[in-house]
Amino acid sequence: MADTYNYKADLAFLDDKRAPMTETLRAWCAINSGSANLAGLKAMREALGGAFSELGAEVETVPSRPHRIVTQEGETVEQPVGDMLRLVKRPQAPVRVLLAGHMDTVFGADHPFQGEKFLDDDTLNAPGAADMKGGLLVMLNALLAIEHSSLADRIGYEVLINADEEIGSIGSAHMLTEAAKRAQFACVYEPALADGTLAGARKGSGNFAAVIRGKSAHAGREHHLGRNALAAAADFISGIDKLSGKREGLTVNVARVDGGGPNNVVPDLAVVRFNVRLEQPQDSDWLLEQAQALIADIDRRDGYSASLEGGFTRPPKPMTPQLKAFFLSLRAAGEELGLNIDWVPTGGCCDGNNIAAAGIPVIDTLGVRGANIHSAQEFCKLDSLVERAKLSTLLLLKIAAGEIPNPGEFINTEKR
Ligand SMILES: [Zn+2]
């Protein structure tokens, strides 16, 4: 089959899709789907549900779990997040792939970046154009091309599109883990760099809030009775900041401090928020020990209390031999399309981290080429809509045909 199969006919399905994909992308980007905008996420889910139903499978809505967040007042509360969208096609097929993406963006309903602008014929500047509404279109069109192929029966897939990726996927990570267990390998549609370079190894990430409470007092009359939470927070910040670089590749970013008030009052509350990135899974325990020691140092002071909220949500995603083999397969598929597929390690992280931690190989930048994501300068290269849809189509069809090895089975033979 491998020698004779004519992929050209299957890929030709995508030849004239640039214009309709561009129009759909513009329509999707016009829907604000910031992670906290539940109404916008519902509208986005409905638009996606309609489009993905073309695959001929039932599109389900799956509830997410609420996030636990620490408010500016230092209280831990539950924050609801948007529901996920899921569809399953041919779960008994010999090749089983998880395709994942997210519908949320970092741009809330009140963010100034809402409109679109064509920077040139090939470049659309719009919220979510690259990250990752363009990627969702790439995924959908690759799957539509596969449905039109005579190899379709050999490949089954589960599509999972969550709505809380940009805030850490805390409410959907369990679904990604479960779906990963049903699949042999995964494709995620985060954007590649503008020149087409993909992300290889990724750092892990955790988000934390240190809640430090002291005692309020009048700054003039009773300063000695006060316990200054901001001053204690300064000690904590200085200590946690120094951990950057103490383990290779580990960084701590103190991002925000809440607390304090009028000049004549000793502040009784400080909330210190920080992000940690790391390369080695075992460093997460080390970091937690260090952070808890700094917290305990403040907690034991007279009149103070301190606690640490949050945790690691994205395990590091190392470049394993299995993953490298998957990338080499993708490179081989790319060559047939005239694409030079390359990859670099990154400090960024995404749902690919969680899927990899569940034990299957995953390439997570199969979406459009684009850049400046998470800023008002975000853009998508429109030529890459068809280009990257063809890349995924060819990759998956070649795996279905047995022409390139199933990335999941590579893992199994390694373990045996
Ligand atoms: Zn993204």
Side-chain angles (χ1 to χ4, degrees), residues 366-399:
L366 288 164
V368 294
R369 287 185 282 110
N372 301 339
I373 61 170
H374 297 192
S375 85
Q377 283 74 46
E378 171 177 4
F379 66 80
C380 163
K381 287 295 189 184
L382 297 170
D383 284 346
S384 71
L385 289 167
V386 168
E387 171 193 301
R388 297 285 146 157
K390 285 189 174 181
L391 180 63
S392 276
T393 303
L394 190 59
L395 173 75
L396 295 173
L397 288 180
K398 278 177 173 281
I399 292 169

Side-chain angles (χ1 to χ4, degrees), residues 32-333:
N32 179 282
S33 60
S35 309
N37 180 2
L38 296 186
L41 287 167
K42 182 167 184 286
M44 192 64 220
R45 200 172 57 246
E46 283 164 5
L48 290 170
F52 276 78
S53 65
E54 282 182 57
L55 293 167
E58 190 202 343
V59 181
E60 276 180 80
T61 295
V62 183
S64 300
R65 292 177 182 164
H67 287 212
R68 269 164 60 96
I69 58 163
V70 177
T71 66
Q72 289 184 16
E73 291 74 39
E75 307 297 336
T76 301
V77 297
E78 290 202 334
Q79 178 195 37
V81 295
D83 293 338
M84 291 169 262
L85 184 152
R86 173 178 181 258
L87 75 86
V88 178
K89 189 102 186 184
R90 294 183 294 274
Q92 314 300 339
V95 173
R96 294 185 301 282
V97 56
L98 165 63
L99 298 111
H102 63 85
M103 68 180 91
D104 60 323
T105 72
V106 298
F107 307 108
D110 55 356
H111 194 281
F113 182 36
Q114 304 287 341
E116 62 165 28
K117 197 156 110 192
F118 281 87
L119 303 181
D120 59 50
D121 282 354
D122 185 36
T123 313
L124 176 65
N125 163 234
D131 184 17
M132 62 181 295
K133 294 176 182 182
L136 295 176
L137 261 176
V138 168
M139 181 208 293
L140 171 62
N141 281 270
L143 292 175
L144 286 168
I146 286 166
E147 291 305 318
H148 282 82
S149 165
S150 57
L151 290 171
D153 284 348
R154 298 189 46 76
I155 185 156
Y157 51 86
E158 177 164 349
V159 172
L160 195 61
I161 301 174
N162 59 4
D164 65 341
E165 195 277 342
E166 297 291 7
I167 48 174
S169 302
I170 295 163
S172 57
H174 65 291
M175 281 295 294
L176 288 162
T177 301
E178 283 171 30
K181 286 181 184 152
R182 293 186 283 266
Q184 296 155 334
F185 63 100
C187 299
V188 178
Y189 288 82
E190 294 289 352
L193 302 181
D195 70 358
T197 305
L198 279 67
R202 289 182 179 273
K203 286 189 183 185
S205 171
N207 289 306
F208 298 87
V211 180
I212 297 165
R213 294 184 190 277
K215 189 163 175 286
S216 161
H218 191 283
R221 285 192 311 237
E222 297 183 315
H223 182 268
H224 63 290
L225 295 180
R227 297 290 179 268
N228 192 313
L230 281 174
D235 293 341
F236 177 82
I237 290 169
S238 153
I240 199 86
D241 177 65
K242 288 195 182 84
L243 300 179
S244 284
K246 288 275 159 61
R247 294 285 168 113
E248 196 183 337
L250 185 145
T251 58
V252 177
N253 182 50
V254 177
R256 178 178 173 132
V257 183
D258 289 313
N263 255 354
N264 60 356
V265 178
V266 176
D268 63 354
L269 171 70
V271 180
V272 179
R273 299 172 203 274
F274 61 100
N275 175 264
V276 180
R277 304 276 163 140
L278 43 78
E279 286 174 3
Q280 302 302 324
Q282 62 273 23
D283 288 348
S284 60
D285 286 345
W286 176 83
L287 185 284
L288 277 173
E289 270 168 36
Q290 302 289 317
Q292 290 291 7
L294 290 165
I295 289 287
D297 177 59
I298 293 167
D299 193 58
R300 73 170 71 96
R301 295 180 193 177
D302 174 51
Y304 287 92
S305 68
S307 63
L308 187 68
E309 301 289 336
F312 287 96
T313 53
R314 307 262 195 223
K317 182 190 157 196
M319 179 58 72
T320 60
Q322 295 84 354
L323 182 58
K324 186 160 183 216
F326 191 7
F327 268 104
L328 291 171
S329 294
L330 182 70
R331 175 178 281 170

